[in-house]
Amino acid sequence: MPDSIIEVQDLHKTYREGLLGRKQVNALRGVSLAVPRGSIFGLLGPNGAGKTTLIKVLLGLVRRSSGGGTMLNRPLGDRDGRRRVGYLPEHHRFPRHLTGNSAMIYYGGLSGMSRREVLTKRPDLLERVGLAKWGNTPVHKYSKGMQQRLGIAQALLHSPDLLILDEPTDGVDPVGRADVRRLLKDLQSEGKTIFLNSHQLQEIELVCDQAAILAKGRVQRHGTIEEITQHPNARIEFTLRG
Ligand code: ATP
């Protein structure tokens, strides 16, 4: 059995809404999956499938209702495990006034890094994501693809082994998407494991080695990218959006 960096069993998450929490939304209904260390793993599913909820449960940002697992060999929700993950949230927006350079200091500070530490790492990271020349430019002048690459640089500041990226190419133009994909492949070749959400089969197909399809809070299929994309229903299911 390959070494798994994330392994979850029978995860359930029910949100409670409305007066006295009477309305229940079953976002995860028994999710089990394993993410091999060193892979680019795609979690694919339509809107509302539960993808973001799964990421939030992995990171301990929302409490699971039941089930369990490990991430980076630590129990799910464990703070030490969480600190060793680089995370790019869905629809991440940088404050408008920040430049690429100041954004790295700002977010490094939020994750407890000293300014000095950030300044040491920043040049290499901006170079790494192809933004070295744009450090002094306000982020609102960046394309969406550049912003996502800056978000990835920020997620890499504390040298995590695992990157969790929520829809990293959503809203990015085709050239920008290709740049993000190339970056992810390079990071994988340097030993990182990447877990990413997407609702686009084509994106997953182009960049991932392993994937799971999530629908209505359940894993429909789980396996290598060939197993997922060669399934006769794959294309029909993923003309859903995008
Ligand atoms: P998208 O691609 O649109 O982001 P998703 O696959 O990431 O979708 P989730 O955002 O995890 O799906 O949502 C799964 C279900 O849980 C949806 O029905 C959503 O409305 C519901 N949900 C998500 N967050 C909450 C919340 N904080 N309170 C109540 N219901 C929620």
Side-chain angles (χ1 to χ4, degrees), residues 15 23 30 37 45 123 151 154 159 164 177 179 198:
Y15 293 105
K23 185 174 172 242
R37 193 177 288 274
Q154 164 214 315
S159 309
I164 296 188
R177 284 208 295 269
D179 288 342
S198 180

Side-chain angles (χ1 to χ4, degrees), residues 15 17 25 27 46-53 90 167 241:
Y15 293 105
E17 290 181 326
V25 180
N47 277 331
K51 304 182 301 296
T52 298
T53 298
E90 187 180 23
E167 310 245 9
R241 190 178 127 184

Side-chain angles (χ1 to χ4, degrees), residues 6 39-44 51-52 55-56 58-59 85-92 147-156 160 162-170 180-181 183-185 187-188 192-199 204 207-208:
I6 299 172
S39 64
I40 303 185
F41 186 99
L43 183 67
L44 187 62
K51 304 182 301 296
T52 298
I55 284 185
K56 288 184 175 170
L58 291 174
L59 293 169
V85 178
Y87 172 45
L88 180 65
E90 187 180 23
H91 308 310
H92 180 65
Q147 291 190 27
Q148 291 299 74
R149 284 188 279 131
L150 182 64
I152 293 171
Q154 164 214 315
L156 288 167
L162 171 63
L163 276 177
I164 296 188
L165 311 175
D166 200 345
E167 310 245 9
T169 57
D170 201 26
V180 171
R181 286 197 299 267
L183 173 61
L184 298 185
K185 288 281 189 196
L187 291 170
Q188 179 187 32
K192 309 274 183 214
T193 307
I194 299 162
F195 179 99
L196 66 93
N197 271 356
S198 180
H199 56 262
I204 295 276
V207 78
C208 296

Side-chain angles (χ1 to χ4, degrees), residues 44-141:
L44 187 62
N47 277 331
K51 304 182 301 296
T52 298
T53 298
L54 178 58
I55 284 185
K56 288 184 175 170
V57 166
L58 291 174
L59 293 169
L61 300 175
V62 302
R63 196 190 293 249
R64 62 191 183 272
S65 305
S66 63
T70 58
M71 183 168 72
L72 292 152
N73 298 323
R74 312 285 303 191
L76 227 50
D78 170 272
R79 262 197 214 159
D80 281 346
R82 212 158 78 202
R83 280 201 206 105
R84 288 164 50 213
V85 178
Y87 172 45
L88 180 65
E90 187 180 23
H91 308 310
H92 180 65
R93 295 273 176 280
F94 288 97
R96 271 183 70 80
H97 64 282
L98 295 180
T99 61
N101 283 336
S102 55
M104 295 290 274
I105 292 176
Y106 176 71
Y107 285 98
L110 288 185
S111 62
M113 294 175 74
S114 69
R115 186 184 171 86
R116 197 170 170 178
E117 232 179 318
V118 176
L119 289 178
T120 310
K121 290 187 158 183
R122 188 176 67 186
D124 282 350
L125 282 173
L126 289 181
E127 178 78 44
R128 191 76 212 62
V129 300
L131 294 173
K133 283 193 293 193
W134 303 92
N136 288 321
T137 304
V139 176
H140 69 87
K141 295 197 172 161

